[in-house]
Amino acid sequence: MSGAGEDYEELLRAWVGRELVARRPGQDPVNVPMIRHWVEAMEDPNPVYLDEDAAKATGRDGVVAPASMIQAWTMRGYAATVHPSAERSGFDELVALLAEGGYTSVVATDSELEFERELVPGDHVSVEEHVESISAEKQTGLGAGRFVSTVKTYRDASGEVVATQRWRTLRYRPAEKPAPDKPKALRPRPAINPDNAFWFEAAREHRLVVQRCADCKSLRHPPGPCCPQCGSFAWDTVESSGRGHVYTFTVNHHPRHPAFDYPLVVAVIELAEGTRLIANMAGVEPADVAVGMPVVLDWIDPDPDLSLPVFRPAAHEER
Ligand SMILES: [Zn+2]
């Protein structure tokens, strides 16, 4: 089915205002143990969430739940995977209809929350979700797509609305991948500023430099205006030997940027001089990279404006 046909438009329009997910109560009422785990994880020191006296001192009747927990009270958690939901049938139907139009990919674009009142232990929250709008097809950087906006309404046990959440996603038809013979995209530009320009300028000359405090002589990277050891603003640089080892690394598969080859090894290299920097690895299969692997510096010139250090496994004689 075409994403632009008149019948298809009609089918999509019919979804506006419809219920996507039927009202569903949270598994547990608002409770202090879940609040405690949340504020500990979020490192939120506000005492009104756990300390009755502090909450009363603010004019409240007692402790309240953080507003940002609203979704947590109605999440089904592991139960959602063990017992797939009858409530989501509307949601699955709409996703299937969008897929028929070719809109098979999704990205969340924004979420707006409005709170009517604070939740307190004992409140039992339910949630339902309706479709608010489905846009006409738009051209976006990701491909042609439609913005789908839904509203989740959170209610207490008496049915009063406690919060609403407008949730917008872009459902899109993934853009065609560029043919392999097309020139590759430029790498994202580094954010060059007066404090780090010297580093990128040296890189263009294939020199790996490390900033050094002119007073206490300690080395630092990434570059910054001020010595974290002694506070001095005076600095010079030393040129690195280019030797070091893999301090840690990750292998990126997704999301893919057209300027890079994947799988892409992103490593933290500890230089012999003691500072660390993030760089890609070259001349090694991702599966062969290991923490502690001795490496040597090499350079790549991805485009005329940019040279970057990469690191290769050190040959035996270089170790
Ligand atoms: Zn210093």
Side-chain angles (χ1 to χ4, degrees):
M1 184 183 288
S2 153
E6 207 37 55
D7 292 347
Y8 186 73
E9 292 294 329
E10 194 58 44
L11 286 172
L12 280 182
R13 249 197 312 276
W15 270 97
V16 175
R18 262 184 73 180
E19 183 179 86
L20 266 193
V21 181
R23 186 168 169 191
R24 181 185 76 216
Q27 299 187 104
D28 299 297
V30 175
N31 62 85
V32 171
M34 278 175 69
I35 295 174
R36 187 186 313 284
H37 293 160
W38 179 277
V39 300
E40 282 178 4
M42 297 294 171
E43 298 182 353
D44 188 334
N46 191 331
V48 301
Y49 304 134
L50 293 171
D51 181 336
E52 283 288 327
D53 293 336
K56 284 178 178 156
T58 64
R60 293 172 169 87
D61 294 332
V63 295
V64 298
S68 50
M69 282 188 77
I70 188 74
Q71 277 182 286
W73 302 120
T74 56
M75 280 181 170
R76 297 186 66 222
Y78 293 114
T81 52
V82 182
H83 307 290
S85 47
E87 305 96 344
R88 278 172 58 96
S89 60
F91 181 87
D92 294 338
E93 243 182 87
L94 176 58
V95 168
L97 179 62
L98 287 162
E100 276 181 46
Y103 310 113
T104 51
S105 295
V106 61
V107 61
T109 59
D110 58 280
S111 166
E112 276 170 40
L113 283 154
E114 275 181 48
F115 300 98
E116 303 296 330
R117 74 163 171 88
E118 290 181 316
L119 295 174
V120 297
D123 271 325
H124 206 153
V125 183
S126 66
V127 66
E128 71 223 31
E129 186 170 8
H130 289 81
V131 179
E132 185 181 55
S133 62
I134 300 176
S135 79
E137 185 174 293
K138 312 266 191 207
Q139 289 302 324
T140 76
L142 293 168
R146 292 172 187 265
F147 290 93
V148 177
S149 177
T150 70
V151 175
K152 288 181 182 174
T153 304
Y154 296 89
R155 299 176 188 277
D156 63 17
S158 66
E160 288 296 310
V161 176
V162 293
T164 55
Q165 181 178 20
R166 179 166 291 103
W167 176 243
R168 203 170 286 123
T169 54
L170 172 66
R171 299 266 167 184
Y172 65 98
R173 207 178 290 134
E176 298 274 316
K177 294 231 167 75
D181 58 343
K182 280 194 182 162
K184 287 180 78 172
L186 294 183
R187 287 201 176 209
R189 302 287 92 179
I192 295 178
N193 60 49
D195 292 324
N196 67 14
F198 74 92
W199 193 90
F200 289 100
E201 282 159 16
R204 290 188 64 178
E205 298 166 0
H206 290 191
R207 292 187 303 115
L208 180 62
V209 294
V210 183
Q211 197 173 26
R212 176 174 63 181
C213 175
D215 286 314
C216 76
K217 308 295 180 192
S218 60
L219 300 178
R220 61 183 190 259
H221 188 85
C226 172
C227 175
Q229 301 298 325
C230 76
S232 168
F233 284 86
W235 57 269
D236 56 12
T237 59
V238 293
E239 193 161 332
S240 167
S241 64
R243 292 173 182 279
H245 66 270
V246 175
Y247 180 76
T248 186
F249 69 99
T250 187
V251 181
N252 280 12
H253 297 268
H254 293 283
R256 296 192 168 203
H257 184 287
F260 297 92
D261 294 318
Y262 293 86
L264 176 68
V265 180
V266 181
V268 177
I269 303 297
E270 185 164 292
L271 295 171
E273 289 78 13
T275 56
R276 295 174 191 152
L277 77 163
I278 297 172
N280 294 136
M281 297 281 293
V284 60
E285 289 298 317
D288 295 336
V289 179
V291 167
M293 172 184 262
V295 293
V296 291
L297 172 67
D298 197 357
W299 291 93
I300 53 168
D301 304 302
D303 64 69
D305 295 326
L306 189 64
S307 296
L308 292 170
V310 293
F311 287 84
R312 300 178 176 277
H316 280 290
E317 60 273 23
E318 291 174 313
R319 288 182 187 177

